[in-house]
Amino acid sequence: MIIEKTNSSSFTSTRRRAHNSKSVKKLSVYTIMVIIALLQLIPLAWLVLISFKNNSEIQLGGIFSLPKVWLFSNYSSAWIQGQVGENFLNSLIVGVITVFFVLLLSSMMAYALTRMRFKFSNILLLILLAGVMVPIHATLVPLFILLKNLGLLKTQLSIILPYITINIPIGIFILSSFLRSLPKELEEAAFIDGYGIIRTFFQVVLPLLKPTLASVGIFTFLHVWNELLMAATFIQKSSLRTLPLGLMNFSGEYSVEWGPLCAAMLISTIPLILIYIYFSEQMEKSFTAGSILK
């Protein structure tokens, strides 16, 4: 009996130590994550405070000091006088159209290359994926000449078409990797029920791709929303400027109004925050869907 009690007490103490060790590790991980989150939020908090101040208060006050007078007029000034509203609408139109065609074309091409096996399909896939390795700077001059000859430099197509072309390869790469993990029995059952290829793709395969499509859409929209180099090169009309290009030209000739500028920058980050909040669950599903299906 004494031996049994000793063994039982030692087992309990070992289990307790293991539990305490796990609790300490979990607490350490949570602490590190909280610290990283706070470090990420510091620039955003600083940006919010600056957006309500004037230049003198920004230069003379502390970094995180509260504004003496909250200048909400900075936002109206940025939206109207700084043409942020017009630039915001241009970026939104370009981003939505680009995301729509990237998702449609990349999903169809990925499905064709992974399911419809034909001669040189693997070589064609490699050629398409090689577009990921082509730097943007190497395409600026030939694209500019091509768009100029087509007469598209004064239209939004001058950046929509290059954005679609650049983002399709990464979309094909992500979607084709996910499609390989999907069981073919679902499509075979659809074919037995009389579905054609097009109907099978849109009614059977495409709904299963929703989490991955959400991830591709978010990555594409973020790239288009923040892209500056192509927009500065191809956009020839001030009325077609996107937000990054508008922010670059926001400063005056002799001085910069930092309050309205920071207000404009904060406005430009709002859609990204909302998109991440709304689609974060879909992104988490896309990260785990492949491993679950396998």
Side-chain angles (χ1 to χ4, degrees):
M1 293 294 294
I2 296 174
I3 296 174
E4 290 180 358
K5 289 182 179 179
T6 304
N7 291 335
S8 177
S9 60
S10 62
F11 176 76
T12 303
S13 61
T14 303
R15 188 175 179 181
R16 189 177 300 165
R17 284 197 299 270
H19 178 73
N20 293 336
S21 177
K22 288 182 180 179
S23 300
V24 171
K25 289 181 180 178
K26 186 181 293 186
L27 181 61
S28 301
V29 171
Y30 286 158
T31 303
I32 294 173
M33 292 176 66
V34 169
I35 293 173
I36 294 174
L38 290 175
L39 291 175
Q40 297 291 329
L41 290 174
I42 286 174
L44 183 61
W46 177 76
L47 186 67
V48 172
L49 292 175
I50 293 290
S51 67
F52 290 102
K53 298 179 180 180
N54 54 31
N55 278 7
S56 61
E57 193 172 354
I58 292 171
Q59 295 170 1
L60 300 176
I63 297 178
F64 292 104
S65 62
L66 294 176
K68 296 178 181 178
V69 178
W70 294 79
L71 298 177
F72 291 93
S73 59
N74 286 342
Y75 285 87
S76 61
S77 176
W79 187 263
I80 300 173
Q81 298 175 10
Q83 297 181 337
V84 171
E86 185 179 4
N87 299 334
F88 186 95
L89 182 61
N90 290 334
S91 289
L92 192 61
I93 292 172
V94 171
V96 170
I97 294 175
T98 302
V99 168
F100 174 77
F101 282 101
V102 166
L103 294 182
L104 179 64
L105 297 176
S106 60
S107 60
M108 295 175 70
M109 294 172 71
Y111 181 73
L113 291 170
T114 54
R115 288 294 196 260
M116 304 174 189
R117 308 301 298 176
F118 52 91
K119 193 175 182 180
F120 304 122
S121 61
N122 291 330
I123 296 176
L124 180 59
L125 179 60
L126 290 175
I127 293 174
L128 290 172
L129 295 181
V132 180
M133 298 180 289
V134 177
I136 296 177
H137 305 79
T139 65
L140 289 179
V141 175
L143 277 176
F144 182 85
I145 296 173
L146 178 62
L147 294 170
K148 182 179 180 181
N149 293 334
L150 293 174
L152 298 177
L153 288 178
K154 294 185 178 181
T155 66
Q156 288 183 327
L157 289 176
S158 62
I159 52 175
I160 291 176
L161 293 178
Y163 286 163
I164 293 173
T165 306
I166 288 173
N167 287 284
I168 279 179
I170 189 65
I172 293 175
F173 175 74
I174 297 174
L175 291 168
S176 60
S177 300
F178 184 80
L179 279 168
R180 290 191 186 94
S181 65
L182 288 178
K184 295 182 180 180
E185 288 77 11
L186 295 173
E187 298 159 61
E188 294 173 356
F191 292 145
I192 293 173
D193 290 339
Y195 283 33
I197 293 177
I198 297 177
R199 189 179 177 187
T200 300
F201 173 74
F202 283 103
Q203 294 188 10
V204 177
V205 177
L206 208 58
L208 296 174
L209 292 176
K210 280 184 179 179
T212 312
L213 287 173
S215 298
V216 175
I218 290 172
F219 294 147
T220 302
F221 189 83
L222 290 178
H223 173 258
V224 172
W225 191 265
N226 295 318
E227 205 279 327
L228 174 63
L229 185 59
M230 281 191 166
T233 305
F234 299 146
I235 293 179
Q236 302 293 310
K237 290 178 65 177
S238 59
S239 60
L240 299 178
R241 287 174 179 169
T242 55
L243 261 178
L245 188 57
L247 292 175
M248 186 181 70
N249 296 299
F250 198 89
S251 58
E253 185 176 359
Y254 300 106
S255 63
V256 179
E257 291 293 333
W258 292 106
L261 177 59
C262 290
M265 294 173 65
L266 189 62
I267 291 172
S268 68
T269 62
I270 291 175
L272 305 182
I273 296 173
L274 295 178
I275 287 173
Y276 177 77
I277 293 174
Y278 185 78
F279 289 104
S280 60
E281 184 178 355
Q282 294 292 332
M283 290 187 66
E284 291 175 3
K285 289 180 180 179
S286 70
F287 293 147
T288 59
S291 59
I292 292 173
L293 288 170
K294 290 179 182 179

